[in-house]
Amino acid sequence: MSDQPLLRVRGLTKHFPVRQGLRATGLVQAVDGLDFDVRPGETLGLVGESGCGKTTTGRMLVRLLEPTAGSIEFAGRDITHAGRRELRPLRQDLQIIFQDPYASLNPRHTVGRIVAMPLQVNGIKPPGGIKARVQELLELVGLNPEHYNRYPHEFSGGQRQRIGIARALALRPKLIVADEPVSALDVSIQAQVVNLLRDLQRDLGLAFVFIAHDLAVVRHFCQRVAVMYLGRIVEIGDRADIYERPQHPYTRALLSAIPDVTRLGPGGRIRLTGDVPTPLDPPSGCRFRTRCWKAQDICATQEPALVPRDGGNQATACHFPEAVGASPEAEGAPGGDAAGAIVEEVSP
Amino acid sequence: MDSSDPAPSGEPDDRPTVPGQRSDQGAYLRVTDLRVRFDTEDGVVRAVDGVSFAVERGRTLGIVGESGSGKSVTSLAILGLHDAKRTTITGEISVGGRQVVGLGDEEVRRLRGRDMAMIFQDPLSALHPYYTVGRQIAEAYRVHHPEVSRREARQRAVDMLDRVGIPQPVRRFDQYPHEFSGGMRQRAMIAMALVNDPALLIADEPTTALDVTVQAQILDLLADLQAEFHSAIILITHDLGVVGQVADEVLVMYGGRAVERGSVEQVLRSPQHPYTWGLLSSVPSLHGDADADLLPIRGNPPSLINLPSGCAFHPRCRYAERPGGRARTEVPELRPAGAAGEAGTNGHLVACHLTAEERTTLYAEDIASVGVAR
């Protein structure tokens, strides 16, 4: 794995204007200043609740949406404002898998035609012919290559998602943005598709930006995880850091809210009050402060920067992060080391 | 369903008894051998095929299954919300001692909303966009309490909005559904369902469309309200984690039939049916080995028009060959999960051809292969 990032995102921002008639009456701050890297072959999970901006981020990465500000570099090239023609060669390396396996496949096209489309659009003629390549792809994702001539409605939800994956793989991409690829599927089918994506990732050395609200699924797929809240990354780190040593109160609350089959009964949960505030008018300072049990005056006035706490890979945007090494179960455990005390790190 | 009597020999009432079924004397809702069929252009859909269960007041039954397992149809049949022209229902549904199957529309309507109510997955489809939230709740109250004045109904609706945790209930009363957030809409729908203090509440995937932090709030709210109103709750969900958190009893459905039934500890801690094992091992967990592969159930859920013969799960079951050809020819009955003559299974029922000994051994291997300590 090279240290040169495949994808480099800096200050990525998307604001949607809200109009009433012809007048702009406000701005939805969907995504506000994201920084992250994805190295070749790496899987980064983007998690958060609805409205946190994860889907908007994914769509900007593949340039289905135009960023308002910030930059996206892919393989060393700035693609933030690249036009159609400049994007065309990049499309081969950068693909997306959508959430809804019903809406993302054209019902009038055969599976063969759907999977062959990226090859034809890009004028690629595989050595053995397009049909052979398509059948190879269908086999790769666990579909019967004989079903080349069938239509999407003849397949189940899980099989349709496999068709979407085959289409994304057709151009041998380096990075796939997967937007909730399993959340529309039944649980037993989810596991099949998660296993498939894991095998493909390992065998083909693909990098993934895996967007999901289900933290348990992300834990089984991603090496690194970024937790988003109201358009910002509040914590980013290696999988073990995020799941075993979460430092941001929101990450802890999110993890504790997930009902887990290994634990019966209620209890042990951090109750967050209220809903996520509207991105039309996000809270000043730390955006999580209105629901945070640790919030102090400084949280309303100064926005916490996303900074590494102990020189490691884990960065947390919080004025009062959890002690390093404190387990999420030990609620309010006193921090043993200096990093656990109240740290004043304020963005300039 | 708390008195446990694994072998009722002479039950006083004459309903068909399933061997090993617990005595359901105190049950508010009792469903016996429910069968629901739809006639469609493609053939007859047997959506529910002989399901029995009971729920007492103050208890929660979790019904678990994938899409097409018949779990939602069961709840619609209880509430009489099916399309009567195309649906054939047989069996017995007793709500507070009254038979619902065969009742006229008008009579069911009187029960519905007053004695039993439902919470849906999608509050936007249950709330009318054209009327204010408060008006809809007040109307639900007035329908069953024609004697109360508009002002009293309004006050009752405001109280309910307050009770389900909606801030500024007086102001919220006059707002429209689109002005509520997802979690708030779900709360408003719960307020509407509970406005008549129903003894039976059916919640069909009530938190599936919600974010996890909001889901936790709604599950807490349902538990609090149950303690207060002492309702019987049926929680329909595909999420075993949610079931583990709130249910007292669990019914696992597959292909319109019950495949396993028992207390939440029994079903989640010592599951007996290979389908339940599959559900448990295919759900990613926050604990255990994150690098281990998930163990999915192979294949797809069955078509209810053309259900596999014998045990409906046999084409997806890894152990279908063990009982010989029986898995393909014979529908397994729901029986006590323990070995023959063994006491102490306390009403844990399973519909599987494997012997109790085989299930114990195979489940141990099954867990070991996933690498998850449960």
Side-chain angles (χ1 to χ4, degrees), chain A residues 49 186 188 198 219 269 275, chain B residues 66-67 181 213 245 288 291:
Chain A
E49 300 180 275
D186 267 325
S188 69
R198 266 167 61 139
R219 180 170 174 269
R269 267 189 280 128
D275 284 337
Chain B
E66 295 178 273
S67 39
S181 69
T213 59
Q245 203 173 308
D291 289 316

Side-chain angles (χ1 to χ4, degrees), chain A residues 48-51 54 156-159 185-192 194-195 198-199 202 213-217 219-221 239 243 250 253-267 269-276 291 329, chain B residues 65-67 181-184 210-217 219-220 224 238-242 244-246 264-265 268-269 278-301 316 372-374:
Chain A
E49 300 180 275
S50 50
K54 54 191 194 297
S156 67
Q159 289 171 324
L185 307 175
D186 267 325
V187 276
S188 69
I189 309 301
Q190 262 192 16
Q192 294 174 1
V194 170
N195 283 349
R198 266 167 61 139
D199 291 346
R202 266 187 297 231
H213 69 284
D214 185 335
L215 275 91
V217 168
R219 180 170 174 269
H220 276 261
F221 188 76
R239 178 177 67 194
Y243 287 90
Y250 178 63
L254 203 55
L255 284 169
S256 84
I258 299 171
D260 198 290
V261 277
T262 58
R263 290 174 189 187
L264 301 185
R269 267 189 280 128
I270 299 171
R271 280 181 182 224
L272 282 188
T273 50
D275 284 337
V276 182
R291 299 172 81 198
E329 274 82 14
Chain B
E66 295 178 273
S67 39
S181 69
M184 285 297 154
L210 303 175
D211 289 316
V212 280
T213 59
V214 182
Q215 164 172 285
Q217 294 169 6
L219 293 178
D220 284 345
D224 290 349
H238 67 282
D239 188 331
L240 289 163
V242 169
Q245 203 173 308
V246 299
V264 69
E265 288 82 11
L268 296 188
R269 287 277 187 257
L279 283 180
L280 284 165
S281 62
S282 55
V283 183
S285 165
L286 287 176
H287 309 279
D289 183 2
D291 289 316
D293 265 342
L294 301 170
L295 200 65
I297 306 171
R298 63 187 183 189
N300 291 295
R316 304 178 74 191
V372 181
R374 294 204 188 275

Side-chain angles (χ1 to χ4, degrees), chain A residues 245-324:
Chain A
R245 295 171 288 278
Q247 294 180 9
H248 198 284
Y250 178 63
T251 313
R252 291 186 55 201
L254 203 55
L255 284 169
S256 84
I258 299 171
D260 198 290
V261 277
T262 58
R263 290 174 189 187
L264 301 185
R269 267 189 280 128
I270 299 171
R271 280 181 182 224
L272 282 188
T273 50
D275 284 337
V276 182
T278 164
L280 263 173
D281 183 21
S284 63
C286 171
R287 292 185 173 189
F288 182 59
R289 69 177 165 84
T290 53
R291 299 172 81 198
C292 184
W293 63 96
K294 289 183 152 188
Q296 308 277 332
D297 293 345
I298 184 178
C299 302
T301 53
Q302 278 172 322
E303 188 189 333
L306 187 66
V307 283
R309 289 293 158 197
D310 50 356
N313 284 331
Q314 187 175 11
T316 307
C318 180
H319 292 301
F320 307 103
E322 290 308 308
V324 174

